[in-house]
Amino acid sequence: HPAPCVAKPNFTVMEETVIDAGHAVRLLAGHPRVDAKRIGVLGHSMGGTFAPRIAEHEPSVARIVILAGAARKIPEMMLAQLDYLSRLDGRVSPEETQQIDEVKAALGRIAEIHAGAPPREREMILGAFAPYWLDYERHDPLAAAKRLGKPIFIAQGEADYQVTAKEDFAAWQKALQGMKGVSFKLYPNANHLFGQVEGKSSPEHYAQRTPVAKELVDDVAAFLLGKPVR
């Protein structure tokens, strides 16, 4: 329900992602066939970024899986993605340059509000009101993960252009390397959806029925069962 949600002036990532996940955990915990002490949360992309926050919000979560979770702030990522996409065909068109400039202006406005500038009445930026962006900016996924003290599995596709191995996966490794119970794995030729691709990853790949890599499925299952990820 994106339209009615973002139409609420005080709508934040907490309402969008965290609270509902907590409800799901508690619903499972009350099921007679579920061991309430062994519930894990798996988050993909933005869900991976906020998986540590979900586990903080719902302390009963036993372990988390972060699939292609961003470690960077969204302004930096959006510009990097636009730059990548605009260069896929070897040239940056005037339309693409205009789009990049518009996003830069919007992200500059988010930075101003984050620094204390008051938002204008009913001002929407990139489809959301100021409280949404302030909440997003305040969340530090690396710090939240370090505070958890719970098993974490961080998986990343090497061919992912949205959340990248060079920037995001490396940041998770740097922040959490050596911590007990934390595992990392990079999947060659896997894109943002963990499907196998050839050549440069592009949005066109998302329209293809590419199965999730079986190796990833097996690794997630092993991790959730408390076995080592190899």
Side-chain angles (χ1 to χ4, degrees):
H1 303 282
C5 287
V6 298
K8 299 176 182 178
N10 293 320
F11 183 71
T12 68
V13 179
M14 192 73 178
E15 287 79 22
E16 181 186 39
T17 302
V18 179
I19 293 175
D20 284 350
H23 286 320
V25 170
R26 290 192 294 277
L27 181 67
L28 279 172
H31 195 286
R33 295 182 63 187
V34 172
D35 184 345
K37 295 180 180 179
R38 298 177 62 197
I39 296 175
V41 167
L42 181 151
H44 172 257
S45 196
M46 181 178 171
T49 300
F50 284 88
R53 185 166 168 183
I54 292 167
E56 285 191 317
H57 175 72
E58 193 57 50
S60 65
V61 170
R63 53 184 58 220
I64 62 172
V65 178
I66 298 172
L67 303 183
R72 292 171 289 167
K73 296 298 183 184
I74 198 167
E76 179 185 352
M77 292 186 60
M78 290 182 71
L79 286 177
Q81 289 175 25
L82 283 171
D83 180 69
Y84 174 88
L85 293 173
S86 68
R87 298 176 188 278
L88 272 179
D89 59 0
R91 60 180 292 271
V92 182
S93 69
E95 294 78 14
E96 289 170 332
T97 299
Q98 180 181 353
Q99 184 184 22
I100 290 171
D101 289 342
E102 289 173 353
V103 171
K104 281 183 178 179
L107 299 181
R109 181 59 181 150
I110 292 173
E112 290 175 356
I113 294 173
H114 186 61
R120 295 183 286 271
E121 186 176 359
R122 302 294 296 178
E123 178 184 14
M124 294 192 82
I125 308 164
L126 297 177
F129 290 105
Y132 181 89
W133 295 113
L134 290 173
D135 190 27
Y136 206 119
E137 287 292 305
R138 279 193 291 262
H139 175 60
D140 184 340
L142 302 178
K146 289 180 75 172
R147 289 192 298 265
L148 278 181
K150 296 179 180 181
I152 304 173
F153 174 38
I154 301 169
Q156 176 67 46
E158 196 171 32
D160 188 345
Y161 72 83
Q162 292 183 255
V163 178
T164 71
K166 183 179 178 181
E167 299 288 344
D168 301 284
F169 188 64
W172 288 108
Q173 285 182 307
K174 182 178 179 181
L176 306 180
Q177 195 73 53
M179 290 184 62
K180 185 179 179 181
V182 179
S183 302
F184 307 89
K185 190 162 181 178
L186 188 63
Y187 296 81
N189 304 317
N191 66 3
H192 190 58
L193 302 182
F194 287 89
Q196 296 293 303
V197 298
E198 294 183 6
K200 276 196 166 186
S201 183
S202 72
E204 283 71 30
H205 288 128
Y206 298 160
Q208 301 171 7
R209 293 181 62 84
T210 306
V212 172
K214 182 180 182 300
E215 183 182 2
L216 172 65
V217 177
D218 291 341
D219 289 339
V220 169
F223 172 76
L224 293 176
L225 291 171
K227 300 175 182 179
V229 177
R230 303 188 185 281

